[in-house]
Amino acid sequence: MNQKNFEYLRDQVKYTGFGEGLENDLKQKIQEGTPEFKLAYETKYGNDTVNATLNFSQSKQSDMYFFNSYQVKVQKENSSETMEQTFYINKGNNITLKEGYNLMEGRSVNKDLTNKEGQVYNAWVQMDFKQSDNNGNFKLKHYHENYGYDLEAVLSKHPIRELGNEEYKSNLMDSLKKGNLQSATFQINGAEQKQYIEANPQFKTINIYDSSMQRVDNRQAKKEQQSEGESQSAKQDGKKERQTPAEDDGPEIPKASKKRRKNQSIS
């Protein structure tokens, strides 16, 4: 067995979000020396059951193995339907299992990616549930830096308590960039309310949900912020912002749970 190859794959599997529990199975499969093999992984996010199949193949020129892709199957609680998507492993910064799940839930993920020329670029990635490729995978939409989505600037428009602490602010932004639905404390009319937010790069805003996970209209959120003591000039700026629907009042991104497909085949 190629020990260095095993250690590289072990770390690659770990940092793609599958932890260390597959290490022994990975070693055994490599020792068996078959041209291709698969590893199975299961976890839960909330009430959703997530099953993943990791695909490996051996080089035709050497004894080295490669981690090629992983197929994710998400099943909602009390539902027989599943949604499937395959994520491919590249030399650059790969989409982790949790990020893949977040994409399948309709949220957006910020990644440093590598193009065919080997150049690294940053982009927000979002699943396009209206388009799929020949393998049945939903296509991914990319919003590059020049698209103009500034998450920090968008957050600053809202009365979020965590923004007043640099550490909390950094953690909040990091979580949103991973595609998480993140809790935040909104200061509204002198009281604090726990709400949930997610990044929405397509419409250059954030989606806000109340404690019952009901969508909060961004226009109402802006009015609440103004009631916290914005200056008159800030109010005028807010009026200008509300004249740009693409930035603040875009429709909700369709959730993956509404686009589930039964027994979809992925090659």
Side-chain angles (χ1 to χ4, degrees), residues 118 216 264:
V216 176
Q264 176 192 348

Side-chain angles (χ1 to χ4, degrees), residues 55-74:
N55 303 304
F56 299 81
S57 64
Q58 188 177 37
S59 170
K60 295 180 180 179
Q61 286 77 37
S62 69
D63 62 349
M64 291 183 62
Y65 280 89
F66 298 95
F67 180 18
N68 299 314
S69 64
Y70 64 95
Q71 179 184 351
V72 180
K73 181 184 294 185
V74 177

Side-chain angles (χ1 to χ4, degrees), residues 45 52 58 77 111-112 134 152 211 214 216 247:
Y45 293 124
Q58 188 177 37
E77 187 179 30
K111 300 291 290 186
D112 287 325
N134 294 332
E152 183 174 6
S211 58
Q214 297 299 309
V216 176
E247 287 193 1

